[in-house]
Amino acid sequence: MGTLNWRFPRLDDGEEHGINDGGIATFKGSELYDNLAREICQNSLDAKAPGESTVVVEFKSKSIKKADYSALVGLDEIFNECEDYWSQKTEPKLRNFLDEAKNKLAQEYIDFLVISDYNTKGLSGAKADIREKSVWRALTHSNGVTQKEQGSGGSYGIGKNAPFACSSFRTVFYNTYALEDKVKAFQGVARLVTHFQKGEATQGVGFYNNTNDKKPIFEEDLCLLRDQFERTKYGTDVIIAGFKKTPTWAADIEKAILSNFFVAIIEKKLKVEIDGQVIDDKTLEGRLKYYSDIEKREESKEKKISTIMEFYSAVVAAEEIRPGTIIDQNDVVLYIKKDDKYSKSIAEMRSIGMVVRTRKSHIFTRYAAVMIVQGQRLNELLKNIEPPQHNKWDPDLIENDPEENKRVRKIRSQLISWTNDTIVDCCRTETPEDLDLDGVSAYLPYDEDDQSLGTADEEDKSPDAENRIGDSQTNRIKSRTVTLTAKKVTGNRKENYDPHNEGHGGHGHGSGGEEDPEGQDKVKAPVPGEKSVSVPKVLKQRIMQVASTPTYRVALVLEEDCPVAHIAIKAIGDDGTKEKITIKDYKFEKKRYQVNSSQLLLKDLKGNKLYEFFLTLEYYEKMLLELLVY
């Protein structure tokens, strides 16, 4: 048995540790609880014990009387020493941190969040030599080190910082009972700043352990705080001291669990309990509906849980389940469900069952889709290009290996393309061949076999066109010349009228106005005041896609000079409905411009002159498109 106390290694003329810890800062911000829930549950799923099917994770709030435990009382002196060391060079961020910590330490009871997992392996290696493999040391005594096995969720070894971001003291205690070596171990870790301890400057990271042999607190040691969290089953407790507790913490963590792990819960890989509220395969639908109903009642702008409810239905009541092959046979699967109220969203994840990202794919059938990577090789490849937050797949994380970067980029592109194309294939709506929806035929893509549409130009090239993932390349376009004549639009319209080139203007029930074939096209609003919109007459126009990229080539001829022209693109659905498409950027007269808007603006266009420009749209699926000029 040794003496238990806080110990911070000597600085010994090394680097000072300030308040700006990049690892902790990664997980701070508006998604604090979301980051915590993702990291904790992912780590627990990675640590599932052999023979177990369901990992159980419990979140419990707890208040502990500070005066009863030396580990908490000892923090008073440490924060005083931090304040003393930085008194002449403190910064606002450090001042705020010290003030918050000292105010909480001044209270009689300290808030804790205790996170415990079961049916897991625990943290082996607490008694291992420093050179031996130790999962315990990778968590408690390292930064940027991971000892996870192949197929796990994490790969950076800095996800462990998420609990520290939730602590006003940046202090976390670990308690484990390891299956592999049957060792029970307990230890506190404080990620603070350089300060004085017994007159000597220290490093910023310190440990509550046996100060004699610098070892964790084992079962034979007397530790009152450890006894508050005694374990009889294998697994690990992550105990956050000075928990940043808000009135909605439990609901926020529950929504994070629902949003990120609904597939793992459906598949009975994960069960979560938050202060008594159980989330498992039996309660999942009800909890999703509960929060979805709240979003609807409160008319929330971001209906996050409502979208997750769509994904849930796509998995449990899929209309289409499509396997796919990217690297190995059937290494990805896509669940799809159509509904006229769905948000056209896709959830993407690896086999662990945690959502990496959600996105939209623009087709006119409304749907929800869930893509799950199943193959081991594809899982490993994607794991290696996930940042610490595990919220995207970024090939640029592969550095100093251009060939591997290129290979991974190509595979990621194939995965996304397969997902998009499969959704389009499953959601395609069949219509009679001779059905013309509101003039849609004027905008239909050309028919390769219809010679009346013109001759193909196999050598036509788009200058510095871009593919789906941004690689520069030269694309060949199989294009035919088609002339689309826009009709004049005259007469009175409502003030929110969206000018366009599809005709029919001036023939509705306006409150006045008449055609003037010789005059300028105008639309006048009777109220409020005199306002007008000039609609340029388009003699010829053509829009065609560059290969299968989101880049489109537009050719345009106006009848007369136009000082200002607005260009927009609408996609036409199978039912004739139209939606504007976001233009990300465009190239005009050898210059590229960033837009990220539903329209772009061109100036000083001359009449009877052919103008050609290239648009990069938000989506690249095959769509019927309408070119609007006003």
Side-chain angles (χ1 to χ4, degrees):
M1 294 179 63
T3 302
L4 308 185
N5 208 341
W6 283 103
R7 180 185 63 83
F8 287 78
R10 290 186 305 165
L11 186 62
D12 198 21
D13 201 31
E15 290 185 349
E16 280 186 330
H17 291 205
I19 191 62
N20 297 304
D21 186 309
I24 295 175
T26 298
F27 298 99
K28 282 194 169 185
S30 59
E31 297 184 345
L32 182 69
Y33 293 146
D34 190 88
N35 289 329
L36 176 68
R38 284 170 64 89
E39 290 300 323
I40 289 292
C41 291
Q42 176 192 270
N43 290 340
S44 295
L45 286 167
D46 288 342
K48 183 171 69 70
E52 299 290 352
S53 57
T54 305
V55 167
V56 179
V57 179
E58 295 180 356
F59 294 79
K60 292 182 180 179
S61 60
K62 190 179 183 75
S63 291
I64 295 179
K65 190 174 182 179
K66 188 184 86 171
D68 291 345
Y69 304 99
S70 61
L72 304 181
V73 173
L75 290 173
D76 283 327
E77 183 180 358
I78 292 169
F79 278 97
N80 287 333
E81 290 168 337
C82 290
E83 191 172 44
D84 181 43
Y85 184 92
W86 294 91
S87 60
Q88 298 182 34
K89 49 184 177 179
T90 189
E91 56 176 295
K93 191 173 181 180
L94 175 58
R95 181 74 269 162
N96 292 338
F97 167 66
L98 294 176
D99 287 346
E100 179 184 352
K102 293 187 72 175
N103 287 337
K104 285 203 172 185
L105 283 169
Q107 299 173 9
E108 183 179 4
Y109 285 86
I110 304 296
D111 287 328
F112 279 72
L113 180 65
V114 184
I115 310 170
S116 306
D117 64 28
Y118 301 93
N119 299 336
T120 57
K121 296 181 288 187
L123 305 172
S124 60
K127 293 186 176 182
D129 182 79
I130 193 170
R131 292 170 297 180
E132 296 176 340
K133 179 180 178 181
S134 171
V135 181
W136 170 266
R137 286 192 65 85
L139 179 64
T140 64
H141 274 75
S142 65
N143 200 19
V145 176
T146 181
Q147 295 201 4
K148 292 190 175 184
E149 299 173 355
Q150 192 175 41
S152 65
S155 61
Y156 285 87
I158 66 174
K160 69 191 73 169
N161 289 298
F164 290 91
C166 296
S167 168
S168 295
F169 310 148
R170 288 192 177 182
T171 299
V172 175
F173 293 87
Y174 298 98
N175 186 42
T176 193
Y177 183 13
L179 172 64
E180 184 177 330
D181 53 22
K182 306 298 187 290
V183 171
K184 292 184 178 182
F186 180 83
Q187 182 169 276
V189 180
R191 296 188 175 275
L192 306 180
V193 294
T194 291
H195 60 277
F196 292 117
Q197 194 170 52
K198 296 181 180 179
E200 285 193 281
T202 69
Q203 298 178 26
V205 181
F207 309 93
Y208 185 77
N209 58 11
N210 276 301
T211 56
N212 293 345
D213 57 9
K214 303 174 185 177
K215 295 290 186 182
I217 299 165
F218 295 118
E219 191 173 9
E220 60 271 18
D221 295 313
L222 177 62
C223 179
L224 295 179
L225 184 61
R226 185 270 321 277
D227 294 343
Q228 288 285 318
F229 315 104
E230 185 177 2
R231 289 196 70 100
T232 58
K233 296 180 179 180
Y234 299 120
T236 301
D237 304 315
V238 177
I239 305 158
I240 302 174
F243 175 51
K244 293 183 177 182
K245 186 177 180 180
T246 67
T248 61
W249 76 268
D252 291 341
I253 288 179
E254 183 179 5
K255 285 187 284 187
I257 299 294
L258 296 173
S259 299
N260 292 290
F261 294 96
F262 66 92
V263 168
I265 296 170
I266 290 171
E267 296 177 345
K268 299 183 181 180
K269 294 179 180 179
L270 179 66
K271 175 182 176 181
V272 178
E273 185 174 334
I274 306 170
D275 261 7
Q277 176 62 59
V278 176
I279 310 170
D280 60 12
D281 60 301
K282 299 180 182 63
T283 63
L284 177 60
E285 183 176 5
R287 299 309 295 169
L288 284 169
K289 187 175 186 306
Y290 171 77
Y291 286 110
S292 178
D293 289 345
I294 291 176
E295 289 179 343
K296 292 173 184 176
R297 283 200 309 271
E298 297 179 350
E299 297 182 349
S300 301
K301 185 176 181 180
E302 184 184 20
K303 292 183 170 56
K304 187 173 182 179
I305 300 299
S306 298
T307 303
I308 299 300
M309 189 82 181
E310 296 173 10
F311 294 146
Y312 169 82
S313 297
V315 175
V316 301
E319 294 176 352
E320 296 275 356
I321 302 176
R322 294 285 187 92
T325 297
I326 306 300
I327 297 178
D328 300 313
Q329 185 69 28
N330 294 338
D331 55 1
V332 61
V333 64
L334 185 66
Y335 297 84
I336 304 171
K337 184 176 174 63
K338 293 177 283 186
D339 190 289
D340 58 9
K341 295 181 180 179
Y342 281 1
S343 59
K344 309 177 187 177
S345 299
I346 307 167
E348 299 176 333
M349 64 192 70
R350 295 189 285 110
S351 60
I352 192 174
M354 181 181 78
V355 175
V356 172
R357 67 169 185 167
T358 62
R359 61 182 178 90
K360 292 181 182 291
S361 184
H362 190 84
I363 62 172
F364 277 88
T365 301
R366 292 194 169 272
Y367 68 92
V370 177
M371 184 271 285
I372 305 174
V373 173
Q374 297 178 318
Q376 180 175 310
R377 288 205 298 167
L378 186 54
N379 264 289
E380 287 297 313
L381 180 146
L382 294 174
K383 182 182 79 170
N384 291 334
I385 58 173
E386 284 178 17
Q389 299 93 328
H390 304 287
N391 59 359
K392 61 182 177 180
W393 292 316
D394 183 4
D396 287 336
L397 292 174
I398 298 178
E399 301 174 324
N400 305 318
D401 192 343
E403 289 302 316
E404 179 64 9
N405 183 296
K406 183 177 180 180
R407 184 184 76 89
V408 170
R409 191 177 292 274
K410 181 178 179 181
I411 291 173
R412 187 198 66 165
S413 177
Q414 290 172 345
L415 177 62
I416 295 172
S417 297
W418 173 83
T419 302
N420 292 341
D421 293 344
T422 304
I423 291 171
V424 170
D425 182 62
C426 291
C427 295
R428 182 179 291 116
T429 302
E430 299 297 335
T431 57
E433 289 185 2
D434 57 352
L435 179 62
D436 187 5
L437 298 171
D438 192 23
V440 166
S441 59
Y443 307 102
L444 287 172
Y446 60 81
D447 185 343
E448 289 283 359
D449 298 322
D450 187 351
Q451 298 301 317
S452 67
L453 292 176
T455 59
D457 182 2
E458 297 288 345
E459 297 302 317
D460 194 5
K461 297 180 180 178
S462 163
D464 63 337
E466 295 179 352
N467 64 15
R468 280 186 293 274
I469 55 176
D471 288 338
S472 179
Q473 67 176 23
T474 300
N475 293 289
R476 297 177 181 272
I477 312 171
K478 294 183 179 180
S479 62
R480 301 176 187 273
T481 301
V482 177
T483 300
L484 300 179
T485 303
K487 300 177 182 179
K488 282 191 175 183
V489 179
T490 61
N492 290 331
R493 288 283 191 178
K494 293 181 180 179
E495 191 169 353
N496 63 357
Y497 168 66
D498 185 8
H500 54 76
N501 293 37
E502 62 182 334
H504 316 301
H507 301 291
H509 298 287
S511 59
E514 57 184 17
E515 288 192 356
D516 179 5
E518 305 300 325
Q520 187 179 27
D521 297 333
K522 289 187 177 180
V523 177
K524 289 190 175 181
V527 289
E530 289 294 316
K531 297 183 180 180
S532 64
V533 179
S534 295
V535 182
K537 183 176 180 181
V538 181
L539 294 179
K540 298 179 180 180
Q541 64 181 21
R542 183 75 168 103
I543 180 169
M544 43 203 157
Q545 189 174 14
V546 177
S548 58
T549 73
T551 300
Y552 287 77
R553 179 182 178 183
V554 177
L556 183 69
V557 178
L558 301 181
E559 181 181 50
E560 55 189 27
D561 294 354
C562 181
V564 177
H566 296 84
I567 308 294
I569 300 292
K570 277 190 175 182
I572 305 172
D574 295 333
D575 57 358
T577 58
K578 303 176 183 180
E579 289 187 19
K580 277 190 176 181
I581 304 296
T582 297
I583 301 170
K584 298 177 69 175
D585 61 58
Y586 71 96
K587 182 176 181 181
F588 182 61
E589 295 182 340
K590 298 184 178 181
K591 292 185 179 180
R592 187 172 294 279
Y593 305 89
Q594 296 294 324
V595 183
N596 287 319
S597 172
S598 60
Q599 65 178 15
L600 60 89
L601 184 147
L602 300 178
K603 294 183 178 180
D604 299 325
L605 300 183
K606 303 299 182 183
N608 294 300
K609 179 180 178 180
L610 175 64
Y611 287 97
E612 185 178 71
F613 47 95
F614 294 85
L615 308 179
T616 303
L617 304 185
E618 182 179 8
Y619 307 105
Y620 63 88
E621 290 84 359
K622 295 178 181 178
M623 299 178 284
L624 306 182
L625 296 178
E626 175 183 3
L627 179 67
L628 312 180
V629 184
Y630 54 94

